[in-house]
Amino acid sequence: MPLIALIEDNTDNRLLLLVILEGRYELVEYETGIAGLEGMLRELPDLVLLDISLPEVDGLEVLRRIRGNSRLRDLPVVALTAHAMAGDRERLLAAGFDDYIAKPIIDEKVLFDSIEGLLSRQPDSETRS
Ligand code: MN
C-alpha cells in the first residue's frame, strides 16, 4: 500500500482525510512542517499532502525545504488549501507543487485522481510545460 505523508495542523481535516484515504493508502500524519520534514527523512513516503496554512513554517517553506533536500526533492507534493482564490492554482504549481486540492474536500474522486495520477507518474518521463 502506498505511503502518504499528511502534513496538516487541523485535527478535523486530518481525521477527514484519514477516513477518506484509509484502506487504499497507508497514512502517516504530521501536525507541523518541521515534524513532517523530520519524519519523512526517517520514513520516506510515496506522496505528500501538504497544508499551506501551517503555524511557524508554512506549506510554501516546507515545499522549499523538500525541494532542497536530496532525499525528498523528487516526492510528489499536493497542496491543500482553504484559501481558494483566483490564481491560487497557478501560483502553487509555479512554486513547485505537483497538484492542488481545495479544502473542504467535497469530491473524493478529485483527490483520488490526483493521488493516483502522481503515484503512477514515471520519475524519468516527467514533463513540465
Ligand atoms: Mn492549516
Side-chain angles (χ1 to χ4, degrees), residues 7-10 13 31 51-55 80 82-83 103:
I7 305 176
E8 161 69 78
D9 61 315
N10 183 282
N13 288 336
E31 282 191 48
D51 182 24
I52 296 299
S53 180
L54 291 167
L80 301 174
H83 309 290
K103 294 186 287 188

Side-chain angles (χ1 to χ4, degrees), residues 22-35:
E22 71 181 350
R24 294 196 194 207
Y25 308 101
E26 196 177 338
L27 198 65
V28 57
E29 301 173 39
Y30 302 105
E31 282 191 48
T32 69
I34 296 298

Side-chain angles (χ1 to χ4, degrees), residues 59-97:
L60 283 163
E61 177 59 23
V62 174
L63 179 74
R64 272 193 286 273
R65 295 187 192 185
I66 288 172
R67 296 300 183 229
N69 183 285
S70 59
R71 291 179 57 206
L72 302 178
R73 68 164 47 113
D74 293 327
L75 283 172
V77 184
V78 178
L80 301 174
T81 179
H83 309 290
M85 296 187 297
D88 264 7
R89 182 176 198 89
E90 292 68 25
R91 181 175 63 89
L92 292 168
L93 296 182
F97 284 96

